[in-house]
Amino acid sequence: MNVRHTPTAIVHKGQKGGTTGCGTNTNTLSSHWVNTNDKITCDKNGCKN
């Protein structure tokens, strides 16, 4: 599953309530994150690779 950061609309590898592939904590401002099946759009190492 992937997770979308709603203010930026960037989709990361990972899920809400944890850490994304690039190391972003989704528990910080958790209302800004939503689980999705959309394609990953983050270009940082860990998400894209």
Side-chain angles (χ1 to χ4, degrees):
M1 173 142 326
N2 299 325
V3 63
R4 175 189 303 273
H5 186 238
T6 53
T8 61
I10 296 174
V11 180
H12 297 266
K13 180 179 181 181
Q15 62 185 5
K16 186 174 178 176
T19 305
T20 66
C22 62
T24 305
N25 184 350
T26 63
N27 290 315
T28 305
L29 295 172
S30 63
S31 63
H32 288 191
W33 297 93
V34 62
N35 288 325
T36 182
N37 288 322
D38 294 348
K39 182 180 174 189
I40 296 170
T41 58
C42 177
D43 288 331
K44 294 181 182 175
N45 285 338
C47 279
K48 198 66 172 179
N49 308 11

